[in-house]
Amino acid sequence: MGAMNLFTEMRGLVIDSLNQMVAAGDLPADLDFAAVAVEPPRDAAHGDMATNAAMVLAKPAGKKPRDIAQTLAAHLQSDARIDSVDVAGPGFLNLRLSASLWQGVVANVLAQGTGFGRSTMGAGQRVNVEYVSANPTGPLHVGHTRGAVFGDALASLLDFAGFEVTREYYINDGGAQVDVLARSVYLRYLEAHGRSVEFADGTYPGDYLVPVGQALKEKVGEAYLDQPEEVWLVEIRDFSTDAMMALIRADLKALGVEMDRFFSEKSLYGTGLIEAAIETLRDKGLIYRGVLEPPKGKTPEDWEPREQTLFKSTEHGDDVDRPIQKSDGAWTYFAPDIAYHYDKVERGYDLLIDIFGADHGGYVKRMKAAVSALSGGRVPLDIKLTQLVKLWKNGEPFKMSKRAGNFVTLRDVVDQVGPGVTRFHMLTRKNDAPLDFDFDKVLEQSKENPVFYVQYAHARVQSVLRKAADAGIATDDATLKAADLSLLAHEAEQAVMRKLAEWPRLVEIAARGNEPHRIAFYLYDLASDFHALWNRGNDDASLRFLQEGDVATSQAKIALARAVAVVISAGLGILGVTPAEEMR
RNA sequence: GCACCCAUAGCUCAGCUGGAUAGAGUGUCGCCCUCCGAAGGCGAAGGUCGUAGGUUCGAAUCCUACUGGGUGCGCCA
């Protein structure tokens, strides 16, 4: 069957040839071939694949690039998989592969199904992806939605690339904001008892707390009426955060996100875990008492120098040391975060990934410093920031929400356009680029809408399969795989096969950079090539997938279409989007 | 003041951890189709990749300095 990834297979051939050249004395021994790459050429006219081997080896080998290229070309030429080799430009080798190799890709896809393209690059490595981690004080809004989609797709991508992935949500239920939540719910509780209340600044006025107040009334009756805060705060806080987490879990479920683990900040308190994490840092000489300088150019009005317990994060790349205890001795928010990440390190992950909103960018260096210090540099932490989402509707900015008051919720979005459209569109930009989300455009049925265009390609394949079944043609994968794929000789068909062959390579590139948006762009390109082939069928009937009276040719062409659908399904699966059977 | 992110076609954006003549959609212009193989097709024009240096055989990509935009900057999370 051969390697799944044609590019790595061809790179292997190039390396073998280079080794033969070493053995023959054409190249010096002990050359490092790491920089040798086999890639798709920018221009298809150059061939199927190109290698830079001659250029990167010229200097270390002390030879001219074109001389190396000529000898290497002769070696490659003798391999049956290579149709032709030519030397171009400063020393590129352009390879043209035999048609059977591309046709084999189709058979490969059909044999492996949506497992085609799975990589082993992450084999044996455990990665923890932490995302969303919204405060448990209300429903998720659009910003959270982007983080949720990005984190979830990234987790799936890493899984596809062979990593063992944990999806995790850190619940900030230990800070002052959950006290505010409790007081807000208390007001709704009073309201449920017919009292008239006012929502002062520093409370959460959103309607979503009305049912929580009602539920609290049903649970405790009149017990908290006219009682001081000391009586009810702790209990209402627990009750309310539980209610909010139930709400958030339901929001995530509506989007199709399912976490492996929810980690409570509160669970760190009173257990010695924070103290243990800080002690670990203290043992490394990274904890001290000191006074921070005020930030230059932006001195707070009420600045007073105060002695605090500080983490020497500057020793691990941060700009200033960071306080872990307030002047009254209580932990800052950073301390439990350190403990939480310490816990992740102790759980033995090989790689940690955090997804933050862009407004938390200032937090990146200190978090990386903490993980670097806690793990002794063993565990890398990659932090991805998701930029703002700007909503549009009817051609103008949209920011109203029925339930939450001043922000648009995840539910507002998912209820209107569906989880699939939401997820795909959220990945049509790099994570660190701002994103426009237009409620009208994401539902538009045209080429300029990537969601539609990709789904349409999949639906067209399904349509072909249905029609083939009507015509009595067998289209199960086992039959298609055995079809005579040498009948797929047309350039437009070859183009689709070449694109399919890029899938395993693209998965690794996307996984290496933690960049799931590349999947979305690839799917658009693949769909585009498929649509182009389909359109050719309008003018040239011999390019249609169903050839009346010619079962063998039909099955070969259907095999290609089916392979496209399989790869689209695999890609959409990573993005968390269900492929469409038809476009109605 | 400092740190981080960003700057690519008129517009919205890709650009595969340094490769060849920098791509797509949209818009503009020209031709074709009005067919359920349907929600258009083909082609053209359009770029000093923010500016100026540097590293390299080779830079949109890496380094430095600027310009312009966003985010953040002790006892909020």
Side-chain angles (χ1 to χ4, degrees), chain A residues 42 92 94 172 296 304 326-327 333 429 445 456 467 505 509 538:
Chain A
R42 191 183 289 275
F92 277 103
N94 290 327
N172 286 112
K296 291 193 166 53
E304 291 175 36
K326 304 175 191 177
S327 46
Y333 56 87
R429 289 287 178 271
Q445 303 210 330
Y456 187 26
K467 286 191 176 174
R505 181 171 181 272
I509 290 167
N538 289 330

Short mmCIF file of all heavy atoms in Angstrom, two decimals, chain A residues 42 92 94 172 296 304 326-327 333 429 445 456 467 505 509 538, chain B residues 1 3 12 14-16 19-20 25 37 39 57 71 74-75 77:
data_model
loop_
_atom_site.label_atom_id
_atom_site.label_comp_id
_atom_site.label_asym_id
_atom_site.label_seq_id
_atom_site.Cartn_x
_atom_site.Cartn_y
_atom_site.Cartn_z
N ARG A 42 5.14 25.68 -6.02
CA ARG A 42 4.18 26.79 -6.01
C ARG A 42 3.38 26.78 -7.31
O ARG A 42 2.18 27.02 -7.31
CB ARG A 42 4.95 28.10 -5.85
CG ARG A 42 4.06 29.29 -5.57
CD ARG A 42 4.91 30.55 -5.50
NE ARG A 42 5.75 30.61 -4.32
CZ ARG A 42 5.35 31.06 -3.15
NH1 ARG A 42 4.11 31.46 -3.00
NH2 ARG A 42 6.17 31.11 -2.13
N PHE A 92 16.82 23.64 -8.06
CA PHE A 92 15.65 22.84 -7.70
C PHE A 92 15.59 21.60 -8.55
O PHE A 92 15.98 21.61 -9.72
CB PHE A 92 14.37 23.65 -7.97
CG PHE A 92 14.00 24.59 -6.87
CD1 PHE A 92 14.24 25.94 -7.02
CD2 PHE A 92 13.43 24.12 -5.71
CE1 PHE A 92 13.91 26.81 -5.99
CE2 PHE A 92 13.09 24.99 -4.69
CZ PHE A 92 13.33 26.33 -4.83
N ASN A 94 12.75 19.26 -10.00
CA ASN A 94 11.31 19.09 -10.17
C ASN A 94 11.01 17.66 -10.55
O ASN A 94 11.55 17.15 -11.53
CB ASN A 94 10.78 20.05 -11.24
CG ASN A 94 10.82 21.49 -10.76
OD1 ASN A 94 10.62 21.75 -9.57
ND2 ASN A 94 11.07 22.41 -11.67
N ASN A 172 -13.06 29.36 37.23
CA ASN A 172 -12.64 30.41 38.16
C ASN A 172 -13.72 30.65 39.22
O ASN A 172 -14.41 31.66 39.19
CB ASN A 172 -12.36 31.72 37.40
CG ASN A 172 -11.06 31.65 36.61
OD1 ASN A 172 -11.08 31.65 35.39
ND2 ASN A 172 -9.95 31.59 37.30
N LYS A 296 5.86 52.63 34.36
CA LYS A 296 6.18 53.97 33.86
C LYS A 296 5.11 54.43 32.87
O LYS A 296 4.62 53.66 32.07
CB LYS A 296 7.54 53.96 33.17
CG LYS A 296 8.69 53.74 34.13
CD LYS A 296 10.02 54.04 33.47
CE LYS A 296 11.15 54.16 34.47
NZ LYS A 296 11.24 53.00 35.37
N GLU A 304 0.77 53.25 45.91
CA GLU A 304 1.64 53.33 47.09
C GLU A 304 2.54 52.12 47.04
O GLU A 304 2.08 51.02 46.76
CB GLU A 304 0.83 53.25 48.39
CG GLU A 304 -0.03 54.45 48.68
CD GLU A 304 -0.86 54.20 49.93
OE1 GLU A 304 -0.36 53.55 50.86
OE2 GLU A 304 -2.03 54.63 49.94
N LYS A 326 -1.38 39.25 47.93
CA LYS A 326 -1.75 40.65 48.13
C LYS A 326 -1.09 41.16 49.41
O LYS A 326 -0.56 40.38 50.21
CB LYS A 326 -3.28 40.78 48.26
CG LYS A 326 -4.03 40.20 47.07
CD LYS A 326 -5.54 40.25 47.32
CE LYS A 326 -6.28 39.43 46.27
NZ LYS A 326 -7.74 39.40 46.53
N SER A 327 -1.17 42.49 49.62
CA SER A 327 -0.50 43.04 50.79
C SER A 327 -1.15 42.56 52.10
O SER A 327 -0.53 42.58 53.14
CB SER A 327 -0.49 44.58 50.73
OG SER A 327 -1.78 45.06 50.38
N TYR A 333 -4.84 36.25 42.09
CA TYR A 333 -5.41 35.28 41.16
C TYR A 333 -4.31 34.43 40.52
O TYR A 333 -4.56 33.33 40.04
CB TYR A 333 -6.20 36.00 40.07
CG TYR A 333 -5.38 37.03 39.33
CD1 TYR A 333 -4.61 36.67 38.24
CD2 TYR A 333 -5.34 38.35 39.76
CE1 TYR A 333 -3.82 37.59 37.59
CE2 TYR A 333 -4.55 39.28 39.12
CZ TYR A 333 -3.79 38.90 38.03
OH TYR A 333 -3.01 39.81 37.39
N ARG A 429 -10.42 32.26 9.90
CA ARG A 429 -9.37 33.25 10.14
C ARG A 429 -8.33 32.62 11.07
O ARG A 429 -8.67 31.75 11.87
CB ARG A 429 -9.93 34.52 10.80
CG ARG A 429 -10.78 35.37 9.93
CD ARG A 429 -9.97 36.12 8.90
NE ARG A 429 -10.85 36.90 8.04
CZ ARG A 429 -11.39 36.42 6.92
NH1 ARG A 429 -11.16 35.19 6.54
NH2 ARG A 429 -12.16 37.19 6.17
N GLN A 445 -25.69 31.05 0.16
CA GLN A 445 -25.32 29.89 -0.65
C GLN A 445 -24.58 30.35 -1.89
O GLN A 445 -25.16 30.49 -2.96
CB GLN A 445 -26.58 29.10 -1.03
CG GLN A 445 -27.39 28.67 0.18
CD GLN A 445 -28.15 27.39 -0.05
OE1 GLN A 445 -28.53 27.08 -1.17
NE2 GLN A 445 -28.37 26.63 1.01
N TYR A 456 -21.28 21.94 -0.05
CA TYR A 456 -21.85 21.70 -1.37
C TYR A 456 -21.06 20.63 -2.12
O TYR A 456 -21.63 19.77 -2.78
CB TYR A 456 -21.86 23.04 -2.13
CG TYR A 456 -22.57 23.02 -3.45
CD1 TYR A 456 -23.60 22.12 -3.74
CD2 TYR A 456 -22.22 23.94 -4.45
CE1 TYR A 456 -24.25 22.14 -4.95
CE2 TYR A 456 -22.87 23.97 -5.66
CZ TYR A 456 -23.88 23.06 -5.92
OH TYR A 456 -24.52 23.09 -7.12
N LYS A 467 -27.36 8.64 -7.32
CA LYS A 467 -27.73 8.39 -8.72
C LYS A 467 -27.10 7.09 -9.23
O LYS A 467 -27.72 6.37 -10.02
CB LYS A 467 -27.30 9.56 -9.60
CG LYS A 467 -28.20 10.77 -9.41
CD LYS A 467 -27.95 11.84 -10.47
CE LYS A 467 -28.93 12.99 -10.30
NZ LYS A 467 -28.64 14.11 -11.22
N ARG A 505 -0.02 15.62 4.66
CA ARG A 505 1.04 16.60 4.90
C ARG A 505 0.46 17.84 5.59
O ARG A 505 1.05 18.39 6.51
CB ARG A 505 1.66 16.98 3.55
CG ARG A 505 2.78 17.96 3.64
CD ARG A 505 3.46 18.11 2.29
NE ARG A 505 4.56 19.05 2.40
CZ ARG A 505 4.42 20.35 2.24
NH1 ARG A 505 3.26 20.85 1.93
NH2 ARG A 505 5.46 21.16 2.37
N ILE A 509 1.42 19.80 9.17
CA ILE A 509 1.79 21.22 9.22
C ILE A 509 0.87 21.96 10.19
O ILE A 509 1.31 22.76 11.01
CB ILE A 509 1.71 21.85 7.81
CG1 ILE A 509 2.82 21.30 6.93
CG2 ILE A 509 1.76 23.37 7.89
CD1 ILE A 509 2.66 21.61 5.46
N ASN A 538 -19.85 19.90 -17.46
CA ASN A 538 -20.93 20.58 -18.18
C ASN A 538 -20.62 20.68 -19.66
O ASN A 538 -21.50 20.51 -20.51
CB ASN A 538 -21.14 22.00 -17.62
CG ASN A 538 -21.76 21.95 -16.23
OD1 ASN A 538 -22.51 21.03 -15.92
ND2 ASN A 538 -21.45 22.93 -15.40
P G B 1 6.51 57.35 24.64
OP1 G B 1 7.09 56.50 23.64
OP2 G B 1 5.06 57.51 24.81
"O5'" G B 1 7.04 56.88 26.09
"C5'" G B 1 8.43 56.81 26.39
"C4'" G B 1 8.64 55.84 27.51
"O4'" G B 1 7.57 55.99 28.49
"C3'" G B 1 8.56 54.37 27.13
"O3'" G B 1 9.80 53.89 26.63
"C2'" G B 1 8.16 53.69 28.42
"O2'" G B 1 9.27 53.54 29.29
"C1'" G B 1 7.21 54.73 29.02
N9 G B 1 5.80 54.48 28.69
C8 G B 1 5.01 55.22 27.85
N7 G B 1 3.80 54.74 27.74
C5 G B 1 3.80 53.60 28.56
C6 G B 1 2.77 52.70 28.85
O6 G B 1 1.60 52.69 28.43
N1 G B 1 3.18 51.69 29.71
C2 G B 1 4.45 51.60 30.24
N2 G B 1 4.68 50.57 31.05
N3 G B 1 5.42 52.46 29.98
C4 G B 1 5.03 53.43 29.15
P A B 3 9.92 47.00 25.06
OP1 A B 3 11.23 46.37 24.76
OP2 A B 3 9.32 47.93 24.09
"O5'" A B 3 8.87 45.85 25.36
"C5'" A B 3 9.16 44.84 26.32
"C4'" A B 3 7.95 43.97 26.55
"O4'" A B 3 6.88 44.79 27.12
"C3'" A B 3 7.33 43.39 25.30
"O3'" A B 3 7.99 42.21 24.88
"C2'" A B 3 5.89 43.13 25.73
"O2'" A B 3 5.81 41.96 26.54
"C1'" A B 3 5.63 44.35 26.62
N9 A B 3 5.01 45.46 25.89
C8 A B 3 5.62 46.58 25.39
N7 A B 3 4.80 47.41 24.77
C5 A B 3 3.56 46.78 24.89
C6 A B 3 2.28 47.15 24.45
N6 A B 3 2.01 48.28 23.79
N1 A B 3 1.26 46.31 24.73
C2 A B 3 1.53 45.18 25.39
N3 A B 3 2.69 44.72 25.85
C4 A B 3 3.68 45.58 25.57
P U B 12 -10.36 45.88 4.30
OP1 U B 12 -10.73 46.45 5.62
OP2 U B 12 -8.96 45.93 3.84
"O5'" U B 12 -10.86 44.37 4.24
"C5'" U B 12 -12.19 44.04 4.62
"C4'" U B 12 -12.39 42.54 4.58
"O4'" U B 12 -12.41 42.09 3.20
"C3'" U B 12 -11.26 41.73 5.21
"O3'" U B 12 -11.35 41.68 6.62
"C2'" U B 12 -11.43 40.37 4.54
"O2'" U B 12 -12.51 39.66 5.12
"C1'" U B 12 -11.84 40.79 3.13
N1 U B 12 -10.66 40.85 2.22
C2 U B 12 -10.26 39.66 1.64
O2 U B 12 -10.82 38.59 1.84
N3 U B 12 -9.17 39.75 0.81
C4 U B 12 -8.46 40.90 0.51
O4 U B 12 -7.50 40.83 -0.25
C5 U B 12 -8.93 42.09 1.16
C6 U B 12 -9.99 42.02 1.97
P A B 14 -5.74 35.77 7.62
OP1 A B 14 -5.98 35.22 8.95
OP2 A B 14 -4.61 36.69 7.36
"O5'" A B 14 -5.66 34.55 6.60
"C5'" A B 14 -4.47 34.28 5.95
"C4'" A B 14 -4.64 33.10 5.03
"O4'" A B 14 -5.07 33.59 3.74
"C3'" A B 14 -3.34 32.37 4.77
"O3'" A B 14 -3.08 31.39 5.75
"C2'" A B 14 -3.58 31.78 3.38
"O2'" A B 14 -4.42 30.65 3.45
"C1'" A B 14 -4.34 32.93 2.71
N9 A B 14 -3.43 33.91 2.10
C8 A B 14 -3.28 35.22 2.43
N7 A B 14 -2.40 35.87 1.70
C5 A B 14 -1.94 34.90 0.83
C6 A B 14 -0.99 34.93 -0.21
N6 A B 14 -0.33 36.03 -0.56
N1 A B 14 -0.77 33.79 -0.89
C2 A B 14 -1.45 32.69 -0.54
N3 A B 14 -2.35 32.53 0.41
C4 A B 14 -2.56 33.69 1.06
P G B 15 -1.74 31.46 6.59
OP1 G B 15 -1.70 30.29 7.49
OP2 G B 15 -1.59 32.82 7.15
"O5'" G B 15 -0.62 31.29 5.48
"C5'" G B 15 -0.62 30.14 4.64
"C4'" G B 15 0.27 30.36 3.46
"O4'" G B 15 -0.26 31.44 2.65
"C3'" G B 15 1.69 30.83 3.79
"O3'" G B 15 2.53 29.76 4.16
"C2'" G B 15 2.11 31.48 2.49
"O2'" G B 15 2.43 30.53 1.50
"C1'" G B 15 0.81 32.18 2.08
N9 G B 15 0.77 33.54 2.64
C8 G B 15 0.09 33.99 3.74
N7 G B 15 0.28 35.26 3.99
C5 G B 15 1.15 35.68 2.99
C6 G B 15 1.71 36.94 2.72
O6 G B 15 1.57 37.99 3.35
N1 G B 15 2.54 36.93 1.61
C2 G B 15 2.79 35.83 0.84
N2 G B 15 3.61 36.01 -0.19
N3 G B 15 2.26 34.63 1.06
C4 G B 15 1.46 34.63 2.14
P C B 16 3.74 30.08 5.15
OP1 C B 16 3.07 30.66 6.33
OP2 C B 16 4.80 30.85 4.47
"O5'" C B 16 4.31 28.65 5.49
"C5'" C B 16 3.66 27.88 6.48
"C4'" C B 16 3.58 26.44 6.06
"O4'" C B 16 2.64 26.28 4.97
"C3'" C B 16 4.86 25.82 5.49
"O3'" C B 16 5.79 25.50 6.50
"C2'" C B 16 4.33 24.59 4.80
"O2'" C B 16 4.03 23.57 5.71
"C1'" C B 16 3.01 25.13 4.22
N1 C B 16 3.14 25.48 2.80
C2 C B 16 3.16 24.43 1.88
O2 C B 16 3.03 23.27 2.32
N3 C B 16 3.30 24.68 0.57
C4 C B 16 3.45 25.94 0.16
N4 C B 16 3.58 26.15 -1.14
C5 C B 16 3.44 27.04 1.07
C6 C B 16 3.30 26.76 2.37
P G B 19 10.16 29.23 2.29
OP1 G B 19 9.13 29.78 3.15
OP2 G B 19 10.12 27.81 1.90
"O5'" G B 19 10.22 30.11 0.98
"C5'" G B 19 9.69 29.59 -0.22
"C4'" G B 19 10.61 29.91 -1.37
"O4'" G B 19 12.00 29.67 -0.99
"C3'" G B 19 10.33 29.04 -2.59
"O3'" G B 19 10.53 29.82 -3.75
"C2'" G B 19 11.44 27.97 -2.49
"O2'" G B 19 11.77 27.43 -3.74
"C1'" G B 19 12.58 28.80 -1.93
N9 G B 19 13.61 28.02 -1.24
C8 G B 19 13.45 27.15 -0.19
N7 G B 19 14.59 26.65 0.23
C5 G B 19 15.55 27.21 -0.60
C6 G B 19 16.95 27.04 -0.65
O6 G B 19 17.65 26.34 0.09
N1 G B 19 17.54 27.79 -1.64
C2 G B 19 16.86 28.60 -2.52
N2 G B 19 17.58 29.24 -3.41
N3 G B 19 15.54 28.78 -2.50
C4 G B 19 14.96 28.05 -1.52
P A B 20 9.24 30.77 -4.18
OP1 A B 20 9.27 31.99 -3.34
OP2 A B 20 8.00 30.02 -4.36
"O5'" A B 20 9.78 31.19 -5.62
"C5'" A B 20 11.01 31.88 -5.75
"C4'" A B 20 11.57 31.61 -7.13
"O4'" A B 20 11.93 30.21 -7.21
"C3'" A B 20 10.58 31.86 -8.27
"O3'" A B 20 11.31 32.32 -9.39
"C2'" A B 20 10.03 30.46 -8.58
"O2'" A B 20 9.60 30.30 -9.90
"C1'" A B 20 11.26 29.61 -8.31
N9 A B 20 10.91 28.23 -7.93
C8 A B 20 10.28 27.80 -6.79
N7 A B 20 10.11 26.50 -6.74
C5 A B 20 10.68 26.06 -7.92
C6 A B 20 10.82 24.76 -8.47
N6 A B 20 10.41 23.66 -7.86
N1 A B 20 11.42 24.67 -9.67
C2 A B 20 11.84 25.78 -10.28
N3 A B 20 11.77 27.04 -9.87
C4 A B 20 11.17 27.11 -8.67
P G B 25 -11.00 32.75 -7.01
OP1 G B 25 -11.82 31.81 -7.79
OP2 G B 25 -10.26 33.83 -7.69
"O5'" G B 25 -11.92 33.43 -5.90
"C5'" G B 25 -12.79 32.63 -5.09
"C4'" G B 25 -13.39 33.48 -4.00
"O4'" G B 25 -12.33 33.99 -3.15
"C3'" G B 25 -14.11 34.73 -4.47
"O3'" G B 25 -15.44 34.46 -4.89
"C2'" G B 25 -14.05 35.61 -3.23
"O2'" G B 25 -15.01 35.19 -2.27
"C1'" G B 25 -12.66 35.29 -2.70
N9 G B 25 -11.66 36.24 -3.21
C8 G B 25 -10.74 36.03 -4.21
N7 G B 25 -9.98 37.06 -4.44
C5 G B 25 -10.43 38.02 -3.53
C6 G B 25 -10.00 39.36 -3.31
O6 G B 25 -9.09 39.97 -3.88
N1 G B 25 -10.73 39.97 -2.30
C2 G B 25 -11.75 39.38 -1.60
N2 G B 25 -12.35 40.14 -0.67
N3 G B 25 -12.17 38.14 -1.79
C4 G B 25 -11.46 37.52 -2.76
P G B 37 -29.42 17.63 -13.38
OP1 G B 37 -29.78 17.37 -14.76
OP2 G B 37 -29.43 16.56 -12.38
"O5'" G B 37 -27.96 18.30 -13.35
"C5'" G B 37 -27.53 19.10 -12.25
"C4'" G B 37 -26.20 19.75 -12.63
"O4'" G B 37 -25.17 18.79 -12.36
"C3'" G B 37 -26.17 20.07 -14.11
"O3'" G B 37 -25.73 21.37 -14.46
"C2'" G B 37 -25.27 18.99 -14.72
"O2'" G B 37 -24.41 19.44 -15.74
"C1'" G B 37 -24.43 18.51 -13.53
N9 G B 37 -24.19 17.08 -13.61
C8 G B 37 -25.10 16.08 -13.80
N7 G B 37 -24.57 14.91 -13.86
C5 G B 37 -23.19 15.15 -13.70
C6 G B 37 -22.10 14.26 -13.69
O6 G B 37 -22.13 13.05 -13.82
N1 G B 37 -20.89 14.93 -13.50
C2 G B 37 -20.76 16.29 -13.34
N2 G B 37 -19.54 16.75 -13.16
N3 G B 37 -21.78 17.13 -13.35
C4 G B 37 -22.95 16.50 -13.54
P A B 39 -24.98 26.65 -10.35
OP1 A B 39 -24.38 27.65 -11.25
OP2 A B 39 -24.20 25.48 -9.92
"O5'" A B 39 -25.52 27.40 -9.05
"C5'" A B 39 -26.28 28.60 -9.17
"C4'" A B 39 -26.74 29.02 -7.81
"O4'" A B 39 -27.61 28.01 -7.29
"C3'" A B 39 -25.61 29.14 -6.80
"O3'" A B 39 -25.07 30.44 -6.81
"C2'" A B 39 -26.31 28.82 -5.48
"O2'" A B 39 -26.96 29.95 -4.95
"C1'" A B 39 -27.36 27.81 -5.92
N9 A B 39 -26.92 26.43 -5.78
C8 A B 39 -25.89 25.77 -6.42
N7 A B 39 -25.76 24.52 -6.09
C5 A B 39 -26.77 24.32 -5.16
C6 A B 39 -27.17 23.20 -4.41
N6 A B 39 -26.58 22.02 -4.50
N1 A B 39 -28.23 23.35 -3.58
C2 A B 39 -28.81 24.54 -3.50
N3 A B 39 -28.53 25.66 -4.14
C4 A B 39 -27.49 25.49 -4.96
P C B 57 25.73 32.84 1.26
OP1 C B 57 26.52 31.59 1.24
OP2 C B 57 26.40 34.15 1.41
"O5'" C B 57 24.83 32.90 -0.05
"C5'" C B 57 25.43 33.29 -1.28
"C4'" C B 57 24.47 33.02 -2.42
"O4'" C B 57 24.29 31.60 -2.56
"C3'" C B 57 23.06 33.55 -2.23
"O3'" C B 57 22.97 34.92 -2.57
"C2'" C B 57 22.24 32.66 -3.14
"O2'" C B 57 22.35 33.07 -4.48
"C1'" C B 57 22.97 31.31 -2.98
N1 C B 57 22.34 30.44 -1.97
C2 C B 57 21.14 29.79 -2.28
O2 C B 57 20.62 29.99 -3.37
N3 C B 57 20.57 28.98 -1.37
C4 C B 57 21.16 28.79 -0.18
N4 C B 57 20.57 27.99 0.68
C5 C B 57 22.38 29.44 0.16
C6 C B 57 22.93 30.24 -0.75
P U B 71 -8.00 48.26 21.83
OP1 U B 71 -9.42 48.19 22.25
OP2 U B 71 -7.25 49.54 21.95
"O5'" U B 71 -7.18 47.13 22.60
"C5'" U B 71 -7.67 45.79 22.63
"C4'" U B 71 -6.68 44.88 23.32
"O4'" U B 71 -5.42 44.87 22.58
"C3'" U B 71 -6.26 45.30 24.72
"O3'" U B 71 -7.22 44.96 25.71
"C2'" U B 71 -4.95 44.53 24.89
"O2'" U B 71 -5.19 43.17 25.13
"C1'" U B 71 -4.34 44.68 23.49
N1 U B 71 -3.44 45.84 23.41
C2 U B 71 -2.14 45.67 23.88
O2 U B 71 -1.75 44.62 24.35
N3 U B 71 -1.34 46.78 23.79
C4 U B 71 -1.69 48.01 23.28
O4 U B 71 -0.85 48.91 23.27
C5 U B 71 -3.04 48.11 22.81
C6 U B 71 -3.85 47.05 22.89
P G B 74 -0.86 47.32 36.89
OP1 G B 74 -2.24 47.79 36.73
OP2 G B 74 0.28 48.23 36.87
"O5'" G B 74 -0.80 46.47 38.24
"C5'" G B 74 -0.12 45.22 38.26
"C4'" G B 74 0.19 44.84 39.68
"O4'" G B 74 0.97 45.88 40.31
"C3'" G B 74 -1.03 44.71 40.59
"O3'" G B 74 -1.71 43.49 40.43
"C2'" G B 74 -0.38 44.84 41.97
"O2'" G B 74 0.30 43.65 42.31
"C1'" G B 74 0.65 45.94 41.69
N9 G B 74 0.09 47.27 41.98
C8 G B 74 -0.80 48.00 41.24
N7 G B 74 -1.12 49.15 41.78
C5 G B 74 -0.38 49.17 42.96
C6 G B 74 -0.31 50.16 43.98
O6 G B 74 -0.90 51.25 44.03
N1 G B 74 0.55 49.77 45.00
C2 G B 74 1.24 48.59 45.04
N2 G B 74 2.00 48.39 46.10
N3 G B 74 1.19 47.65 44.10
C4 G B 74 0.37 48.02 43.10
P C B 75 -3.32 43.55 40.60
OP1 C B 75 -3.80 42.24 40.16
OP2 C B 75 -3.85 44.78 39.97
"O5'" C B 75 -3.52 43.68 42.17
"C5'" C B 75 -3.51 42.51 42.99
"C4'" C B 75 -3.75 42.83 44.43
"O4'" C B 75 -2.74 43.73 44.93
"C3'" C B 75 -5.03 43.57 44.79
"O3'" C B 75 -6.17 42.75 44.73
"C2'" C B 75 -4.72 44.00 46.21
"O2'" C B 75 -4.86 42.90 47.09
"C1'" C B 75 -3.25 44.38 46.09
N1 C B 75 -3.12 45.84 45.94
C2 C B 75 -2.83 46.58 47.08
O2 C B 75 -2.67 45.98 48.15
N3 C B 75 -2.73 47.93 47.00
C4 C B 75 -2.93 48.53 45.83
N4 C B 75 -2.83 49.85 45.80
C5 C B 75 -3.24 47.80 44.64
C6 C B 75 -3.32 46.46 44.74
P A B 77 -8.90 38.45 42.08
OP1 A B 77 -8.79 38.39 43.54
OP2 A B 77 -7.67 38.30 41.28
"O5'" A B 77 -10.00 37.41 41.62
"C5'" A B 77 -9.66 36.29 40.89
"C4'" A B 77 -10.39 36.27 39.57
"O4'" A B 77 -10.28 37.56 38.91
"C3'" A B 77 -9.76 35.31 38.59
"O3'" A B 77 -10.25 34.00 38.80
"C2'" A B 77 -10.11 35.89 37.24
"O2'" A B 77 -11.42 35.55 36.90
"C1'" A B 77 -10.04 37.39 37.53
N9 A B 77 -8.71 37.94 37.21
C8 A B 77 -7.74 38.32 38.09
N7 A B 77 -6.67 38.81 37.52
C5 A B 77 -6.94 38.74 36.17
C6 A B 77 -6.21 39.12 35.03
N6 A B 77 -5.00 39.64 35.08
N1 A B 77 -6.76 38.92 33.82
C2 A B 77 -7.99 38.37 33.77
N3 A B 77 -8.78 37.99 34.77
C4 A B 77 -8.20 38.21 35.96
#
